[in-house]
Amino acid sequence: MNMTSREKILSEVLKNQPAAVPMPDISAFKGPAQDNVQEYMDTFVGIGGKVFAVDDIDSIKILIKEQFDTSLRMATTLTELADMLEMYSPQADPHSYENLELAVIKAHLAVAENGAVWLTESVMGQRIIPFICQHLAVIVDSSAIVPTMHEAYKKIGFGDYGFGVFIGGPSKTADIEQALVMGAHGPITMTVFILKEKI
Amino acid sequence: MSQPLNKSTHPGHSPETFFRGKSHAELASEFNEDEARVSWHDGALWWIRQKRDKITKQIPEWEELREAASQIKSHLLSNLHDYLVQFESNLQKNGITVHWAANAEEHNNIVYSILKAKGITQMVKSKSMLTEECHLNEFLEERGISVVNSDLGEYIQQIDHEPPSHVVLPCIHKRKEEIGELFHEHLGTEKGLSDPTLLTRAARKHLREVFLTRRGALTGVNFAVAETGEFVVCTNEGNADMGAHLSEVHIASMGLEKLIPKKEHLSVFLRVLARSAIGTPITIYSSHYRKPRPGQEMHVILVDAGRSRQLGRVDFRDSLKCIKCGSCMNTCPVYRKGGGLSYHNTITGPIGAILAPNLDMKRHADLPFASTLCGSCSNVCPVKINIHDQLYKWRQVIVKEGYAPKSKAVAMRAMAETLSSPGFYQTAGKLGRWFLKNLPFALNNKWNPWFRHRDMPSPPPQSFSEWYSKNKGGNKK
């Protein structure tokens, strides 16, 4: 570390920063009273995702068989799905997931206003998993859907994680003539299962 | 573009060789040679502006969010010293190595020394305007380290040896056929292929190989939280995460102004960023990096490079609130019709025009004049920067400092003398009307820039004061 640059920068900043301005209170921001599940489903379909409201884990298993090529590599951190999917190994080299077709992850929460789900590395297994897979499926409890980002950050709080991410749909780009293409580098599709019963 | 710019065969581009000292007006008129491209460019950006309008109207509290975002940044800038110290201490607690860089060269040397210590000769980089500003790629390549830009738009710009023309849409000035040609040359796609999905698939395949083989990754930073010592990187492609989570060393470069005080403030900024940028509710990935992965090294470089100086400029310090959404570019009539590369600066458009004179007032003296001062930029800015006021104020500073573009300086001096002398003003008016009536070609010619794309009104037979002195007697009766 270059202490001289640190000292120089900090003293310039101190000299040049304006008189203290108070921090605004943002506690009044909150989402509308609404059906969060319906709002979430509408939003997520609108951004190019697939969403299913399901009653239990068995319905998810049936849908996975219908929606994905189960002959390819599929992995999860959910013991409930261990009978049909490979369990992640936290020790494995992240590069070894290069050929992962489907990842199934349980989200901590989801946000109705933008379709995003909140994942931390404890539910991902490995940080690379939700990015390197060709298709991403996320399970979220219907009771864990909040209206806006304000409620989301209240629930997350300080958080105990080394890495966390909001994911709001399949990887996408519109860099070539503004034509929307799904699957820029990450998953080509994203599916969310909204689970009525908690698991 | 019809080859107006000097594309070297070197994989990088320095502003000196690329823009060759040309002014905004010169570069914009070159862009304007291709009328079909200008119309397309204008329409594509306006379409994004309309998407932004549509989605922001769905949020009843939108204006309150803008105000909150602006106030949070005001508070931050007024306590920047303490928040920087707090952020540094929390980063260190999280096991992240902190570096301070006073300027671009120091930043580049820090990156180089980190990579060299690990024996890394290939790096993958996600979108980072700061490293563009520092010309990091050229610096590393001269020292034997290759860099691949992984954001699709930035990758396209890199293989075409051009800087990005827009902070969010780096190759918005290019047509798909041109991109197809570049991919044919660099990725071996079929000649004539221009379908955006197929071109994106080809890049996906190539860049996946890059991600899997690079031990070093560099990302930018969208928001850095002082309270928790974590930083947030927003992408739609997932390229920052593909690089970072497969690397042994993750370097994150950030300008001092990227800081925010508290984690809950992310709720405000993540609500306004993507809606303002491209009219979507949130970027696909908002990644919160707090600790390195076991076995990984994580570094944060805090870069000043003129920011502390801008903080001391009372009229211009609010430009540091910018969250790089690009909405001021999408709405700006001059940007849409003149193209981003005309700004001869890393950050283009209206926000670039108020940031650039702080970096090099002489070179960028023309940028604050590249505006109609219509104010549309200030109206869409999610952190409520008074961009058009600052453009106007920079003009005054630039003229006072003696950096005004020559033709503007002469014209303004003549205007000042004419307006301060009533006798001269009347004579000048008479002369003007006489010339317009009898010798219009003496004014409307290629030496007078005012007449490009403009016609002169027919001159009135007399001035208002002539009319008034003739008629005031009659009215008295």
Side-chain angles (χ1 to χ4, degrees), chain B residues 196-342:
Chain B
T197 303
L198 296 176
L199 291 175
T200 302
R201 289 285 174 270
R204 174 186 173 94
K205 196 170 154 228
H206 172 72
L207 288 166
R208 192 160 265 251
E209 198 51 43
V210 170
F211 291 127
L212 286 164
T213 51
R214 295 309 186 266
R215 294 164 52 216
L218 189 144
T219 68
V221 170
N222 290 87
F223 306 101
V225 186
E227 177 187 42
T228 58
E230 71 195 296
F231 57 90
V232 177
V233 183
C234 302
T235 75
N236 283 308
E237 300 182 4
N239 57 314
D241 292 283
M242 283 294 279
H245 303 316
L246 291 170
S247 72
E248 288 168 38
V249 180
H250 174 188
I251 304 168
S253 295
M254 59 175 274
L256 307 178
E257 80 285 10
K258 290 300 166 93
L259 217 50
I260 58 173
K262 297 174 78 172
K263 190 169 177 186
E264 64 174 30
H265 294 151
L266 286 169
S267 66
V268 172
F269 289 106
L270 292 182
R271 290 190 83 191
V272 296
L273 177 63
R275 287 184 172 100
S276 299
I278 52 171
T280 61
I282 189 168
T283 49
I284 299 298
Y285 303 103
S286 309
S287 299
H288 298 47
Y289 292 86
R290 191 187 282 177
K291 289 173 189 165
R293 199 177 76 233
Q296 187 194 35
E297 265 183 36
M298 202 178 268
H299 299 260
V300 166
I301 310 177
L302 293 159
V303 186
D304 184 344
R307 284 154 179 83
S308 63
R309 184 173 60 236
Q310 187 85 328
L311 187 63
R313 297 185 195 268
V314 180
D315 287 337
F316 307 112
R317 65 165 57 113
D318 273 7
S319 62
L320 296 171
K321 293 179 174 182
C322 177
I323 58 170
K324 307 290 186 301
C325 73
S327 62
C328 60
M329 300 166 193
N330 305 341
T331 199
C332 176
V334 175
Y335 180 94
R336 282 187 280 120
K337 302 217 172 65
L341 293 178
S342 306

Side-chain angles (χ1 to χ4, degrees), chain B residues 14 72 133 171 279 343 423:
Chain B
S14 78
I72 293 166
E133 185 187 315
C171 65
Y343 289 81

Side-chain angles (χ1 to χ4, degrees), chain A residues 40-53:
Chain A
Y40 179 87
M41 291 174 77
D42 293 346
T43 308
F44 197 65
V45 169
I47 52 182
K50 266 190 193 172
V51 61
F52 298 95

Side-chain angles (χ1 to χ4, degrees), chain B residues 18 81 97 144 284 308 368 423:
Chain B
F18 187 75
H81 175 277
T97 310
I284 299 298
S308 63

Side-chain angles (χ1 to χ4, degrees), chain B residues 183-199:
Chain B
F183 278 24
H184 172 63
E185 188 190 326
H186 291 266
L187 299 179
T189 53
E190 196 187 317
K191 179 123 185 109
L193 181 75
S194 67
D195 177 78
T197 303
L198 296 176
L199 291 175

Side-chain angles (χ1 to χ4, degrees), chain B residues 390-439:
Chain B
Q390 293 193 34
L391 286 164
Y392 179 62
K393 283 175 179 158
W394 267 122
R395 293 180 184 187
Q396 296 167 42
V397 173
I398 284 162
V399 172
K400 209 178 279 175
E401 303 273 325
Y403 292 127
K406 255 209 186 84
S407 62
K408 287 240 153 63
V410 172
M412 274 190 275
R413 226 177 5 253
M415 178 86 93
E417 277 166 21
T418 309
L419 293 178
S420 60
S421 152
F424 189 39
Y425 173 77
Q426 278 165 11
T427 315
K430 263 191 198 129
L431 270 172
R433 285 189 296 282
W434 188 86
F435 267 101
L436 269 179
K437 196 172 155 206
N438 301 300
L439 299 168

